[in-house]
Amino acid sequence: MSSDQDNVDVIVIGGGPGGSTVSTLLAKTGNKVIQLEKAKFPRYQIGESLLPSTIHGVCKLLGVEEELREASFVTKRGGIFRWGKNKEPWNFLFAISPEFSNEASYAYQVERMKFDDILLKNAAQNGVDVRQQAKVRELIRGEGTDRVTGVRYEDADGQSHSLSATYVVDASGNGSRFTSAPGGKRKNADFFQNVATFGYFEGGKRFDAPDSGNILCAAFDHGWIWYIPLSDTLTSVGAVLDKSHLPEISKDKEKALLDSIDRCAIVKDMLSDATRVTEGTYGEMRVRKDYSYSNSKFWGNGVVLVGDAACFIDPVFSTGVHLATYAGVLAARSINSVLSGALSEERAFGEFEGRYRREYEVFYEFLSTFYDMEQEEDSYFWQARRISNLRGDDLSAFVSLIAGGYSGEQALVNPEEIVERFTASTRALADAAEKTGSMHTDSGQRMGHLFGTENVRDVMEEMNAFQARGAEGSEGLEPPLLEGGLVPSRDGLAWAEPEPAVQG
């Protein structure tokens, strides 16, 4: 039976982290949201190494932080690089970053089948109408206009359904067929024309604690390899190579990966006693190509692009889920603001695109310098501070950037007060109107001789000063991030005009 009468506020295409983030934050304000996912969860996905900004920022806003702790994912306290002119591996800890010190100084290495399932179920618990095995076949446009007014999808039984909505959010991933709907086009990055081949291994070695859960990124003559511990024994391993290697990868994916491992001494040693998984979900060898790109428009004609549907950057700093979930937060604020009548579409979505593109571009610029293998690690730290304009020394700026703290938004780096505010606002809303779904929200680091630096004490003092400033901070709105731009509302779920400057 066709659901032609379904008329909702927002349709979200895709059940990944970006889609579940935006749908949950839209539903929290009382909007009627339908989320369509083509697969049946849990399902496989790559992008397993997360950043603190996602775990301690976005996931706290979504109310899933406790569930993630209970899932027993591998704790990631930083990263290890065999990169640049230094032939010895060097490491960083998130504790160096003032934004993510102390209790926020870690992230997780996750099996995406489990992580994405947690977020999708949470969306349903917050009132989102989640429909799995729902393949979106086409966008529906208003008569005589390019504006999208709904979608047509097919369920598991092959039955066709039509839905109408004020907005459609495309969070369907890098393979999206609707990226031109906002009126722009996808452009592959000039610099990162790479291809990745990857698989999984049992029995790989681990670094000594507390670095045993850290990601390893190791460069070699043909590219670089990621090494991500997903459990005590299971490891995700992938080789990122220039596109000139695509013919050999296409001919034999496994041989291309094993040949790359053989050329990379540190990874070869880590896998010396390991065996590749050849059965089940993790037994398949996979390839991804042309994965660094950006759309010329992230919104327009009633469509909003989120996550890999909008843009993606080389995975050396594990920014995929960070960009997707951050975009989900930004998109939810814009849609909430327009649907409430508080802001015009141009004003609200201009802020969404400005902040989203700013985040993408700073990673793109920094990665362009990071791929220069003729530098010492200190030069990378300096480049991070130059590009990001983050406070503190070069080392802390480097870690803040790759931990997801570049924007400095409270929603990512200090969400506790925001959680309290929107918990209160959703309770008030629940008292005023009937809603479906749940409205609840859950509100000893080793430093060592890092990178051979001599200023660890100064960095720790800066972290303490940052925390003290936060404890004494104003209850008011954040300052604008963009010139002439908007600021997050006090509950973090919408945009607001900035407070007038106080004349002294």
Side-chain angles (χ1 to χ4, degrees):
M1 179 177 178
S2 178
S3 306
D4 288 331
Q5 300 305 310
D6 280 352
N7 189 335
V8 298
D9 295 304
V10 184
I11 298 165
V12 177
I13 307 173
S20 292
T21 296
V22 67
S23 65
T24 300
L25 297 181
L26 288 169
K28 281 181 179 291
T29 60
N31 293 307
K32 188 174 181 182
V33 183
I34 292 179
Q35 187 172 3
L36 305 174
E37 165 54 46
K38 66 180 180 179
K40 181 176 175 57
F41 274 38
R43 58 90 178 92
Y44 174 83
Q45 185 59 271
I46 193 64
E48 300 142 326
S49 192
L50 305 187
L51 303 184
S53 59
T54 301
I55 300 304
H56 303 288
V58 177
C59 288
K60 184 168 287 187
L61 297 180
L62 298 177
V64 297
E65 209 177 18
E66 185 58 37
E67 289 180 74
L68 296 181
R69 277 194 288 266
E70 294 174 354
S72 300
F73 292 127
V74 170
T75 298
K76 170 187 174 182
R77 299 190 180 278
I80 299 168
F81 284 92
R82 213 315 294 151
W83 206 271
K85 292 179 69 174
N86 191 342
K87 300 304 180 184
E88 297 300 318
W90 45 272
N91 72 320
F92 69 88
L93 298 179
F94 292 130
I96 284 291
S97 167
E99 292 84 359
F100 300 105
S101 59
N102 296 336
E103 68 274 5
S105 62
Y106 66 91
Y108 294 121
Q109 316 281 21
V110 300
E111 293 183 69
R112 286 286 301 277
M113 289 187 294
K114 299 177 182 178
F115 177 78
D116 292 11
D117 195 43
I118 289 172
L119 267 57
L120 189 64
K121 287 178 178 175
N122 181 66
Q125 291 165 3
N126 278 276
V128 178
D129 181 354
V130 175
R131 304 182 185 182
Q132 298 187 48
Q133 295 180 285
K135 298 179 180 179
V136 177
R137 295 302 189 186
E138 63 177 319
L139 302 178
I140 300 172
R141 290 175 169 82
E143 186 174 353
T145 178
D146 288 332
R147 187 165 184 101
V148 173
T149 59
V151 305
R152 188 166 288 110
Y153 77 92
E154 189 177 279
D155 64 22
D157 298 322
Q159 180 74 30
S160 179
H161 303 263
S162 295
L163 303 171
S164 61
T166 306
Y167 286 104
V168 172
V169 176
D170 182 3
S172 60
N174 69 306
S176 167
R177 297 181 293 111
F178 310 120
T179 56
S180 63
K185 61 181 180 179
R186 178 176 290 186
K187 182 180 186 300
N188 287 333
D190 294 329
F191 192 79
F192 304 106
Q193 292 295 302
N194 297 326
V195 58
T197 176
F198 49 98
Y200 294 81
F201 292 78
E202 278 284 345
K205 294 179 183 178
R206 297 290 179 261
F207 292 99
D208 293 337
D211 299 329
S212 55
N214 290 0
I215 185 173
L216 166 65
C217 297
F220 67 108
D221 56 349
H222 285 177
W224 65 274
I225 295 178
W226 75 69
Y227 187 96
I228 303 173
L230 297 178
S231 73
D232 289 343
T233 60
L234 181 66
T235 307
S236 171
V237 182
V240 179
L241 309 172
D242 182 84
K243 65 179 181 180
S244 62
H245 294 273
L246 183 57
E248 63 196 70
I249 293 173
S250 300
K251 183 178 180 181
D252 191 330
K253 296 186 289 288
E254 181 177 22
K255 184 177 185 301
L257 176 60
L258 295 179
D259 286 350
S260 296
I261 292 169
D262 196 52
R263 302 178 77 95
C264 184
I266 187 171
V267 175
K268 182 179 180 180
D269 177 70
M270 297 292 284
L271 294 173
S272 59
D273 298 322
T275 56
R276 191 177 76 79
V277 177
T278 56
E279 297 181 351
T281 300
Y282 292 128
E284 180 182 347
M285 285 292 305
R286 294 175 167 90
V287 171
R288 185 166 177 179
K289 57 183 178 179
D290 296 331
Y291 52 76
S292 289
Y293 54 83
S294 176
N295 275 65
S296 59
K297 290 192 68 175
F298 290 165
W299 75 278
N301 300 325
V303 176
V304 186
L305 304 181
V306 164
D308 290 3
C311 58
F312 190 78
I313 192 69
D314 186 276
V316 68
F317 291 138
S318 309
T319 53
V321 175
H322 163 69
L323 286 170
T325 55
Y326 181 46
V329 173
L330 300 177
R333 289 175 182 166
S334 297
I335 295 172
N336 284 334
S337 297
V338 176
L339 292 180
S340 70
L343 293 169
S344 69
E345 188 172 83
E346 290 74 16
R347 183 78 167 128
F349 285 104
E351 190 71 22
F352 159 77
E353 175 132 3
R355 291 193 183 219
Y356 193 7
R357 199 169 293 283
R358 175 182 184 270
E359 193 79 4
Y360 172 84
E361 287 178 352
V362 75
F363 280 111
Y364 184 91
E365 184 178 354
F366 181 59
L367 279 165
S368 298
T369 66
F370 198 75
Y371 261 76
D372 179 358
M373 298 295 180
E374 295 305 313
Q375 298 187 60
E376 301 286 352
E377 58 263 33
D378 287 349
S379 295
Y380 299 130
F381 308 153
W382 176 82
Q383 292 285 1
R385 186 157 65 92
R386 178 188 65 81
I387 291 167
S388 67
N389 287 320
L390 289 165
R391 81 180 99 202
D393 57 58
D394 298 349
L395 173 57
S396 61
F398 172 84
V399 179
S400 292
L401 175 63
I402 63 177
Y406 168 61
S407 68
E409 286 204 45
Q410 289 185 31
L412 300 186
V413 304
N414 185 28
E416 287 80 4
E417 288 185 5
I418 293 176
V419 170
E420 292 175 6
R421 292 170 191 165
F422 78 56
T423 300
S425 68
T426 53
R427 285 172 181 163
L429 182 62
D431 291 339
E434 291 184 0
K435 289 180 58 184
T436 59
S438 169
M439 302 305 300
H440 75 277
T441 306
D442 297 329
S443 350
Q445 201 50 257
R446 182 198 71 165
M447 297 304 298
H449 186 59
L450 235 75
F451 308 117
T453 62
E454 299 176 356
N455 58 354
V456 171
R457 180 177 300 174
D458 293 337
V459 173
M460 293 302 292
E461 289 175 355
E462 171 61 14
M463 283 190 277
N464 292 335
F466 181 90
Q467 291 173 321
R469 289 193 296 272
E472 298 166 0
S474 168
E475 289 280 325
L477 301 176
E478 299 175 39
L481 189 63
L482 308 174
E483 184 176 356
L486 301 167
V487 298
S489 60
R490 285 174 54 78
D491 65 4
L493 297 179
W495 297 118
E497 295 291 348
E499 295 177 339
V502 178
Q503 298 297 321

